[in-house]
Amino acid sequence: MLIAPSLLSADFANLQRDVEMLNQSACDWLHLDVMDGVFVPNISFGFPVMEAMARYARKPLDVHLMVVQPEKFVERVAALGAKVMNVHAEACTHLHRVIQQIKAAGMQAGVTLNPHTPLCTVEEVVEDLDVVMLMGVNPGFGGQRFIVNTLDKTRRLRELLAKKNSRALIEIDGGVNRETAPLLRDAGADVLVAGSAVFGAACPEDEIAYLKNL
Ligand code: DX5
Ligand code: ZN
């Protein structure tokens, strides 16, 4: 499994230090959570902060846009050098078009589903996707309790991807920790995002290695 620590739980007064720590760790991607206070009831950070983090990051960036009209930001996310751009299906009226825009900009296309959003929302586009990300919590905050239905949803997504011959990775965001990570692995997850589990640990690097070696 790939591990993508979320910088949402980092120390914002020491972002360079935390990015350097992740560079040294066994993690695979850096997960950057952008919130606009409209799509989700919180505001996190935007492009100036991500540009600063990107200057030090030596791991691929996985940018998760929790904003309305994410298509407005495809070029700016690409300019960060991001590997993956994740947009919410609920935020895109023309989801197919946004996916093509992300790929045309040279990035991998990810579509994220809120806990209540059914898998059929992405059924017609999964062949075009590099990542399908399932929220394990309602987006907006770190440190929330994992919604258990996400396990069954992950299993059903694995079946859908097989049926459609899609090679998309299954990424899970929210509520990932030592207890839920093995269950998610068994359900078919490929990428686990972890914020509070990593940055709340006594030693974040050890926690990343623990999750990675499950
Ligand atoms: C939630 C964000 C997550 C968040 C996860 O809206 O998208 O990436 O950082 O935090 P934890 O791992 O603490 O649930
Ligand atoms: Zn996220």
Side-chain angles (χ1 to χ4, degrees):
M1 275 191 308
L2 304 182
I3 302 298
S6 166
L7 274 298
L8 186 64
S9 294
D11 178 352
F12 287 177
N14 286 287
L15 278 175
Q16 181 183 354
R17 181 200 68 191
D18 284 356
V19 169
E20 304 274 19
M21 179 277 290
L22 295 176
N23 287 340
Q24 301 296 324
S25 79
C27 82
D28 297 279
W29 298 348
L30 304 195
H31 184 87
L32 305 184
D33 287 303
V34 182
M35 304 179 187
D36 66 353
V38 178
F39 182 72
V40 288
N42 195 10
I43 297 175
S44 55
F45 48 72
F47 286 99
V49 174
M50 289 198 288
E51 283 153 10
M53 290 193 275
R55 281 207 300 278
Y56 296 100
R58 294 199 306 277
K59 308 253 183 176
L61 303 179
D62 169 32
V63 179
H64 176 197
L65 290 163
M66 287 164 275
V67 305
V68 297
Q69 300 180 320
E71 66 276 7
K72 286 182 179 171
F73 305 107
V74 172
E75 293 305 327
R76 289 194 75 184
V77 175
L80 290 172
K83 177 190 180 77
V84 183
M85 176 167 167
N86 259 302
V87 297
H88 272 260
E90 305 86 1
C92 298
T93 306
H94 301 287
L95 183 60
H96 181 275
R97 177 186 289 148
V98 181
I99 293 164
Q100 310 314 317
Q101 288 171 336
I102 293 170
K103 292 166 73 155
M107 295 180 286
Q108 295 191 5
V111 170
T112 306
L113 301 181
N114 279 333
H116 77 281
T117 303
L119 294 174
C120 62
T121 309
V122 288
E123 188 166 353
E124 309 301 332
V125 293
V126 278
E127 285 105 325
D128 292 340
L129 291 179
D130 300 293
V131 173
V132 179
M133 187 160 86
L134 302 182
M135 293 307 302
V137 300
N138 285 295
F141 303 93
Q144 301 181 82
R145 179 192 283 268
F146 182 73
I147 296 170
V148 176
N149 182 61
T150 313
L151 291 173
D152 187 55
K153 197 174 183 182
T154 302
R155 284 189 281 270
R156 285 181 282 115
L157 175 57
R158 181 50 70 207
E159 287 168 15
L160 173 65
L161 296 181
K163 190 176 92 187
K164 293 279 192 175
N165 283 320
S166 168
R167 290 152 60 120
L169 297 176
I170 300 179
E171 181 171 11
I172 310 294
D173 185 11
V176 172
N177 56 36
R178 285 180 176 225
E179 285 70 48
T180 56
L183 305 175
L184 287 162
R185 175 202 57 205
D186 293 348
D190 301 299
V191 187
L192 298 181
V193 177
S196 53
V198 165
F199 287 96
C203 177
E205 282 189 76
D206 288 353
E207 198 63 22
I208 291 165
Y210 180 91
L211 295 171
K212 177 92 187 148
N213 294 323
L214 277 172

